[in-house]
Amino acid sequence: MSRQSYIFTSESVSEGHPDKVCDRISDSIVDLFLARDPEARVACETLTTTNRIILAGEVRCLEHIDDDEIEATARQAVRDIGYEQEGFHWKHAVLENLLHEQSRDIAMGVDASGNKDEGAGDQGIMFGYATNETPELMPATLQYAHQILRDMAAARKADPSLGLEPDAKSQVTLAYNGSIPLRATSIVVSTQHREGLTPADVREIVRPFVEAVLPEGFMPPEEEFYVNPTGNFVIGGPDGDSGLTGRKIIVDTYGGAAPHGGGAFSGKDPTKVDRSAAYISRYLAKNVVAADLADRCTIQLSYAIGVAKPLSIYVDTHGTGRCDEARLEKVLAEAVDLSPRGIRERLGLNKPIYARTAAYGHFGRTPEADGGFSWEKTDLADELKSLAG
């Protein structure tokens, strides 16, 4: 039996968090290659620390892309985030590029040939999730945590005199009755700031961003509103802590409200099912909820490297379903081609649309005219209603 009253927490990190800097650089490299060759293969990992950026991984592209262009792309990503600090500067950081050609063994297993369809780029399990507790069909704890930091970043870039710097984290804890969020029991925001601002100054800078995001009456008691609990946060970003691609996978997905298959998204082209199958899983789960076939839905897909068809499809509606789960599994497999090629064609994933996903979550976003966040569309809902009977 599910609990009716409970407290749940999710966290987010800003685009200036060291790990998110790496995700942004890696996804910018993916976009660079896909813009030149929609069938390009990219697996790019980034490491950052004090004034140093290291790229590593495997690539394949019909058009040659030289090291200077790769370096310029990485530096521009850091510049867009806003790092012009002594300890980490988009222009002055030392950059080492260790990207090399994709393994022929991997290419042989993934590429289509003869009667063999294109296979998955790796084995693995992927999860998608949706819940009707917010208009975005996302967990409220995570959606609020993302929005607080997104709004702070927009304000920082629009008004540098505000005193905020790029690195920040948020954490939202809500009390629930069933699936309905009632109020925040605590809020935590830690943000890098300009030298000279006091803890009280930073608290009052942050406060209106939190109040604007939370529904009316949701603010926690003052003693449970934590801003920079350590007292000072001037040294931040990769100068304060090293960063790596793919270390914020719970932030990227559902804030801990749903399972995670374990694979990161950023730095990977869409033949990697860690990314593309996670996107289609979210698309399916979101459309199930949008079709009012369930209040909550978790979907799992699994794949084997070099094999086109998914090995399994699993649906869990957490006791909220208005359609048999086994029936839904059959309906979803009929409605959508879940091969790696079918996923990419359905969602239009062979496009340079990934740098924008690197911060503030891959899910719960608004579909964009150029194909960005296509997995957030609910254009399958009517068909699912009909097929589910």
Side-chain angles (χ1 to χ4, degrees), residues 19 65 85 120 180 194 212 223 232 236 247-248 286 290 301:
D19 297 329
I65 299 177
Q85 299 171 1
I180 301 172
R194 188 184 62 228
E223 64 271 17
N232 204 46
R247 281 206 300 200
K248 288 293 176 284
K286 186 174 184 181
L301 299 176

Side-chain angles (χ1 to χ4, degrees), residues 139-154:
T141 49
L142 183 63
Q143 202 67 15
Y144 298 157
H146 282 325
Q147 192 62 52
I148 290 166
L149 296 185
R150 189 184 298 125
D151 291 352
M152 287 172 58

Side-chain angles (χ1 to χ4, degrees), residues 276-277 280 303 337-347 349:
S276 57
I280 200 72
Y303 291 84
D337 179 356
L338 295 174
S339 69
R341 183 188 300 277
I343 294 170
R344 293 206 318 281
E345 291 177 352
R346 177 87 190 201
L347 299 180
L349 298 181

Side-chain angles (χ1 to χ4, degrees), residues 320-340:
T320 71
R322 287 170 280 280
C323 177
D324 180 70
E325 290 157 331
R327 170 72 176 159
L328 271 177
E329 291 164 0
K330 184 173 184 294
V331 163
L332 294 173
E334 292 173 354
V336 177
D337 179 356
L338 295 174
S339 69

Side-chain angles (χ1 to χ4, degrees), residues 106-151:
I106 292 176
M108 180 175 63
V110 174
D111 292 348
S113 61
N115 294 324
K116 175 185 174 295
D117 194 7
E118 178 184 298
D122 202 351
Q123 72 175 47
I125 58 174
M126 298 83 206
F127 288 92
Y129 179 73
T131 171
N132 63 6
E133 65 188 73
T134 64
E136 298 84 3
L137 304 186
M138 287 288 288
T141 49
L142 183 63
Q143 202 67 15
Y144 298 157
H146 282 325
Q147 192 62 52
I148 290 166
L149 296 185
R150 189 184 298 125
D151 291 352

